[in-house]
């Protein structure tokens, strides 16, 4: 394991142990729940918008309903989008999704800062859903979309197999 990989692994573990913005938000403007039926991850994201800016954001995962990658990704996401405009947060969603699906050019990855720690999940397609679950919930909340999203409806699902 390279030094960079070890550092990224430690960052993910730290955000899983001590997640940022891990709380309910009673005065949220929008709330969306996300579910990953394949592995059981669940997350609820609260967003407080003021004008066109993410004034506050938080999340919770029910005990036992979120893996380390899912929880760390949600924690890193809240830190990354707080204070951003809706357009900036949507752009970050697009770039993060490209990172975890392995389509973001390497020269653009540096602009993601600590979010790059989750880039390695692109080698594990089922883990992409874990990393992107909270982001899809955020995306839906920013668009005032559905109150619940699923990784099976968000474009990360593998194509159906014959006879399925």
């Amino acid at each position: 394991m390279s030094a960079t990989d070890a550092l990224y692994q430690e960052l993910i573990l730290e955000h899983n142990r001590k997640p940022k913005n891990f709380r309910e938000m009673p005065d949220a403007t929008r709330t969306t729940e996300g579910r990953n039926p394949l592995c059981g991850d669940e997350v609820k994201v609260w967003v407080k918008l003021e004008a066109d800016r993410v004034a506050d954001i938080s999340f919770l995962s029910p005990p036992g309903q979120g893996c380390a990658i899912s929880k760390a990704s949600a924690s890193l996401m809240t830190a990354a989008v707080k204070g951003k405009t809706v357009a900036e947060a949507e752009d970050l969603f697009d770039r993060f999704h490209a990172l975890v699906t392995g389509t973001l050019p390497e020269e653009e990855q540096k602009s993601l800062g600590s979010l790059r720690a989750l880039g390695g999940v692109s080698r594990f397609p089922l883990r992409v859903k874990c990393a992107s679950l909270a982001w899809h919930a955020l995306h839906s909340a920013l668009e005032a979309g559905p109150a619940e999203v699923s990784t099976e409806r968000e474009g990360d699902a593998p194509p159906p197999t014959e006879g399925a």
Side-chain angles (χ1 to χ4, degrees), residues 18-30:
K18 296 179 184 174
K20 310 284 187 229
N21 305 300
F22 192 68
R23 59 183 163 75
E24 288 187 34
M25 187 188 315
D27 61 341
T29 310
R30 300 183 184 153

Side-chain angles (χ1 to χ4, degrees), residues 51-74:
D52 189 36
R53 191 162 298 279
V54 178
D56 200 4
I57 182 169
S58 66
F59 80 101
L60 280 178
S61 296
Q65 300 300 309
C67 69
I69 290 175
S70 177
K71 198 174 193 180
S73 182

Side-chain angles (χ1 to χ4, degrees), residues 8-132:
Y8 286 164
Q9 184 177 15
E10 184 55 37
L11 180 65
I12 290 169
L13 292 173
E14 182 64 21
H15 274 270
N16 178 54
R17 283 190 298 264
K18 296 179 184 174
K20 310 284 187 229
N21 305 300
F22 192 68
R23 59 183 163 75
E24 288 187 34
M25 187 188 315
D27 61 341
T29 310
R30 300 183 184 153
T31 304
T32 303
E33 293 183 35
R35 297 191 192 321
N36 182 347
L38 289 180
C39 73
D41 286 343
E42 294 181 19
V43 67
K44 187 169 186 176
V45 174
W46 288 268
V47 179
K48 183 176 183 180
L49 297 174
E50 290 179 358
D52 189 36
R53 191 162 298 279
V54 178
D56 200 4
I57 182 169
S58 66
F59 80 101
L60 280 178
S61 296
Q65 300 300 309
C67 69
I69 290 175
S70 177
K71 198 174 193 180
S73 182
S75 176
L76 286 160
M77 174 195 75
T78 62
V81 302
K82 193 181 283 190
K84 300 264 192 273
T85 66
V86 170
E88 290 168 335
E90 289 284 10
D91 176 64
L92 197 52
F93 165 81
D94 291 338
R95 289 185 293 132
F96 178 79
H97 195 263
L99 172 76
V100 298
T101 56
T103 61
L104 187 67
E106 193 169 329
E107 62 274 6
E108 292 182 41
Q109 293 179 17
K110 290 180 181 175
S111 69
L112 291 177
S114 59
L115 294 173
R116 290 184 354 204
L118 292 158
V121 303
S122 66
R123 297 186 305 267
F124 308 97
L126 291 178
R127 301 308 262 166
V128 169
K129 294 178 182 201
C130 299
S132 64

